[in-house]
Amino acid sequence: VKPFITDLTNHIYLGASNIIDYVTIGTLGNATDFGDLTFANNATKRGTCSDGTRGFWCGGQSSGAPENHYNIIDSVTIATTGNSTDFGDLTVARTSEGMSNDTRGVACGGGRGTPGLGLSNIIDYFTMASASNAIDFGDLTGEKSMGAVCQSDTRGIYFGGNVIPPAGLEVIDYITIATTGNALDFGDLTHTARQNSGSSDNTYGVSGAGLDVVGGQYWGDNDIEYVTITTLGNAIDFGDLTITR
């Protein structure tokens, strides 16, 4: 049974951080300070991606009021600690979800600010080896934000997401990263999900956890689902997280 979250008013939000930490993946231990993101990207809900040499943060939203949105793309050279540098700009200031292959970085959807602008269906891309502004790739199947993403060397997958008024989605979108164009319907999750997280091993794409909204009520989620990235179809139950979160 998913726990019903009845009160979000007591959560303390301390604001966004520009800190970059790193770990050496092959060695257990605490994170170490890497550097800082650029000042204007001291924000939440940034789409991230990497080509193995550089890491990228795309867009973002400021904490507090007024709510500001950014179009900045930050980058770091992963092998060398230091502050991020301005790589270029997204086509529209917004939050985003990021994915990539070895060549292209992609920023999908996101929030554009309220009141008025709402959510975005925009997909941008940029060539990660060359600093430049992003270019329009195409559109998601709908305007949404806070979905889970993952990728193989060929395809990018977008699981679920949030719509306005707040509610989760079942739909799974996919793109072929090397080819511009609108996202296509891959299949459906087993249930609606938003603020979920994604990962992949180049064969399976996995979506797990999240905070869904059903009938105006917030529900936590411990479900894990998966798809085979090369084959269109609905997601299948993988198992459960150790706790709901």
Side-chain angles (χ1 to χ4, degrees):
V1 177
K2 299 177 183 178
F4 171 40
I5 301 174
T6 57
D7 183 9
L8 301 179
T9 60
N10 292 326
H11 287 217
I12 299 173
Y13 188 64
L14 298 178
S17 171
N18 66 348
I19 295 170
I20 307 171
D21 284 352
Y22 78 96
V23 296
T24 302
I25 296 175
T27 306
L28 302 182
N30 295 335
T32 304
D33 184 57
F34 186 98
D36 293 330
L37 293 167
T38 62
F39 173 78
N41 215 10
N42 181 4
T44 64
K45 303 176 186 175
R46 297 175 288 248
T48 58
C49 60
S50 173
D51 63 0
T53 300
R54 284 178 167 172
F56 299 89
W57 292 261
C58 303
Q61 172 186 314
S62 65
S63 58
E67 182 181 279
N68 297 312
H69 288 75
Y70 304 116
N71 64 355
I72 293 173
I73 305 171
D74 280 359
S75 72
V76 295
T77 300
I78 297 173
T80 307
T81 59
N83 295 336
S84 71
T85 58
D86 185 3
F87 182 90
D89 295 331
L90 297 174
T91 61
V92 172
R94 66 192 197 278
T95 67
S96 69
E97 306 298 337
M99 59 181 70
S100 59
N101 60 11
D102 290 339
T103 304
R104 284 182 170 176
V106 180
C108 302
R112 298 180 61 187
T114 55
L117 295 176
L119 303 180
S120 172
N121 64 353
I122 294 171
I123 307 172
D124 288 347
Y125 79 97
F126 52 92
T127 301
M128 291 183 283
S130 304
S132 63
N133 293 334
I135 300 170
D136 184 56
F137 184 99
D139 295 330
L140 294 170
T141 59
E143 295 179 343
K144 50 191 167 183
S145 67
M146 296 189 288
V149 295
C150 68
Q151 69 277 312
S152 67
D153 293 336
T154 304
R155 282 182 171 171
I157 306 289
Y158 191 110
F159 297 102
N162 178 62
V163 293
I164 297 176
L169 294 171
E170 292 181 356
V171 67
I172 305 171
D173 286 1
Y174 80 98
I175 60 170
T176 301
I177 298 174
T179 307
T180 58
N182 293 336
L184 300 173
D185 183 31
F186 186 97
D188 290 331
L189 294 168
T190 62
H191 61 85
T192 60
R194 68 169 215 161
Q195 293 175 254
N196 42 330
S197 294
S199 60
S200 61
D201 65 356
N202 209 38
T203 300
Y204 293 134
V206 180
S207 168
L211 178 67
D212 200 0
V213 184
V214 180
Q217 297 179 339
Y218 289 80
W219 300 88
D221 194 359
N222 67 346
D223 293 343
I224 309 171
E225 306 179 42
Y226 78 97
V227 297
T228 302
I229 299 176
T230 58
T231 306
L232 303 185
N234 294 335
I236 300 170
D237 182 58
F238 187 98
D240 292 331
L241 296 169
T242 57
I243 61 171
T244 296
R245 58 184 185 269

